[in-house]
Amino acid sequence: MMNVYVKEFPKQLRESINIGRSIQLNKHSQPIHNVVILGMGGSGIGGNFAAEFVKDVAKVPVICVKGYTLPAFVDQHSLVIASSYSGNTEETLSLFDQAIACSAKIICLTSGGKLAQYATDRGLDCVIVPNNGLPPRACLGYSLVQQLFIFKFFGLATEKHIQELEKAIVNMENAQDVIMKQASQIAKKMQGKFPIIYAPERMESVALRLRQQLNENSKILASHNSYPEMNHNELVGWREQSGAFIVLNFRSKDDHKRNDLRISICNDVCAKHAEVVNIDCIGESLIEQAMYGVHVGDWITVDVGNARQIDLIEVDVIDYLKGKLASASL
């Protein structure tokens, strides 16, 4: 089924835009000084993308929190987006309670569960997305797009962001066969190798997404980092290495020229110990390029998982962890 979910990602994005255009929100009584996005795993990755996409236009800081502790600066001037597809994510619900105590402006983003009920009980804004029985990692389109519409409502994003999403959808649909072929070729090269994923900092979420998808879909470990940060630490680790590695570089025509040079130099260093694959993210804007990279990456994880003859959907070890946590008091 995961191959179906991945193939329908452009369709989900289009559906999400239609949902976003119809959501109704309430203004906050106080000026917004910062935005805090709460979310874990597949429910949280949309926030990472949204924060990257608005970085050049938002006049207030936007951060993602993935844990149990809300930053001390959150107050009545904060916009807090609580994102949990199931509505039952333990960490997000804990942060939600803290945000309530801080009198922040809270908007819930969920398909139901406790989070939706808490929002109803408190009269909070709540954006409901379809509950189609999909795993949260297959619902990136729902969380990302709704967050962009929330940002747009508060003047932190523009209609241009939505238009770029619409172009990204068309790009992916038109290039679907090319993307699938490219992903299949890369997946074959990855067999028996540890993937190390890099991207320029403007697209780090694309690298993070691929790592997480390799973990959950393909059931393998991977690492990721970004340029130029990896030049100040991780690059030294490549000096002497033994093992089977493959480097996956996400790149685009809009990479900073210094990052472009850095990547080329690093490729030479890494190539002494690993196969290096460059993945060109096609598109005229950051959103188009990032969504293209996501689609290539998602298809890679499907092909890697299928080659390993495993169930791409199951995450039994996470269910085991949740069961153990549920039996212990908070």
Side-chain angles (χ1 to χ4, degrees), residues 40 80 104 142 146 163 172 210-211 214-215 218 223 234 254:
M40 307 297 298
V80 174
Y142 291 136
Q146 302 319 308
Q163 293 171 351
M172 286 184 285
L210 178 53
R211 176 175 68 77
L214 286 169
N215 296 156
S218 310
S223 73
E234 186 167 326
D254 294 323

Side-chain angles (χ1 to χ4, degrees), residues 132-143:
N132 298 326
L134 277 63
R137 64 188 184 276
C139 299
L140 170 61
Y142 291 136
S143 63

Side-chain angles (χ1 to χ4, degrees), residues 88-288:
N88 299 315
T89 309
E90 178 180 298
E91 300 93 327
T92 304
L93 293 176
S94 175
L95 292 168
F96 172 88
D97 288 338
Q98 295 170 52
I100 288 288
C102 293
S103 301
K105 168 62 176 179
I106 302 173
I107 299 177
C108 298
L109 173 55
T110 182
S111 69
K114 293 179 181 178
L115 189 59
Q117 188 60 55
Y118 291 172
T120 299
D121 293 344
R122 292 169 172 81
L124 302 176
D125 287 333
C126 187
V127 179
I128 299 293
V129 295
N131 186 344
N132 298 326
L134 277 63
R137 64 188 184 276
C139 299
L140 170 61
Y142 291 136
S143 63
L144 164 61
V145 174
Q146 302 319 308
Q147 289 183 66
L148 285 179
F149 273 102
I150 292 171
F151 286 170
K152 184 172 178 284
F153 180 82
F154 286 94
L156 305 173
T158 67
E159 179 62 25
K160 183 180 178 182
H161 289 92
I162 310 304
Q163 293 171 351
E164 289 171 354
L165 264 177
E166 292 172 332
K167 291 180 181 178
I169 294 169
V170 175
N171 288 348
M172 286 184 285
E173 289 175 336
N174 290 341
Q176 185 80 246
D177 291 342
V178 174
I179 289 173
M180 292 176 65
K181 181 178 179 180
Q182 179 184 15
S184 177
Q185 292 171 342
I186 294 172
K188 290 177 182 177
K189 295 179 180 180
M190 292 173 62
Q191 291 184 21
K193 299 174 183 175
F194 183 88
I196 300 174
I197 310 155
Y198 296 132
E201 55 83 24
R202 67 190 285 270
M203 287 201 304
E204 183 175 2
S205 292
V206 178
L208 171 61
R209 168 70 172 185
L210 178 53
R211 176 175 68 77
Q212 293 179 343
Q213 292 289 81
L214 286 169
N215 296 156
E216 291 197 75
N217 290 344
S218 310
K219 313 298 186 289
I220 64 173
L221 293 174
S223 73
H224 92 275
N225 209 329
S226 64
Y227 297 104
E229 173 62 22
M230 68 82 66
N231 292 170
H232 298 267
N233 35 69
E234 186 167 326
L235 184 61
V236 181
W238 280 104
R239 186 175 63 183
E240 297 180 13
Q241 281 298 328
S242 61
F245 301 96
I246 184 168
V247 172
L248 305 177
N249 273 319
F250 286 103
R251 309 183 69 168
S252 82
K253 67 180 183 61
D254 294 323
D255 291 344
H256 191 286
K257 64 180 181 179
R258 297 297 290 178
N259 274 341
D260 195 52
L261 177 58
R262 287 174 181 272
I263 295 171
S264 296
I265 297 171
C266 290
N267 280 352
D268 292 338
V269 174
C270 295
K272 297 176 182 178
H273 308 284
E275 182 166 6
V276 177
V277 176
N278 292 311
I279 302 173
D280 292 323
C281 298
I282 309 301
E284 295 303 315
S285 67
L286 172 59
I287 290 179
E288 294 170 60

